[in-house]
Amino acid sequence: MFQSELLAKEGDKLLRANRFDRALERYREAARYDADEPDLAAAIAWCEYQLSPKAAGDVAYVRDALARVIEAAPRIARAHYFLGFVLVDLGRPQAAVGSFRTASQLDTRLIDAERQARAIELRTPAAAASKTSKGGGLKGLFGGNKK
């Protein structure tokens, strides 16, 4: 278990540096010592996805892998976070927002999850429509275009 944790921490550092190939090696090695760790399964699936050409089969594979992790261990914030990006790639922004928000609630240190959710909401047509109906820009702040 200790060896697995050390390897996983190395993998996390490499993942933050976007070194997916080397991170994947560390996570796979860690999984040899602790094969049932759902956090490792999520990290492995994510690294494999990042190294893939992101074809339809790759997207389906990682979505299913992360769904299995979440089903087995619903409190793994990392799995929800990664799933949010996959859902964006699938063109499902509202579902992605839900995944990012869940990740943020499960681990308050994942501040990027909340940022991703907000960014998606700002890009969606519903958010854009409500912004223009309120009178966007500085004029909107001071009462719109009253003459």
Side-chain angles (χ1 to χ4, degrees), residues 122-144:
L122 290 174
R123 288 190 308 253
T124 59
S130 71
K131 192 173 184 178
T132 42
S133 68
K134 292 179 184 174
L138 289 176
K139 288 183 180 179
L141 277 176
F142 300 107

Side-chain angles (χ1 to χ4, degrees), residues 93-104:
Q94 292 311 106
V97 168
S99 285
F100 286 130
R101 290 261 158 78
T102 300
S104 178

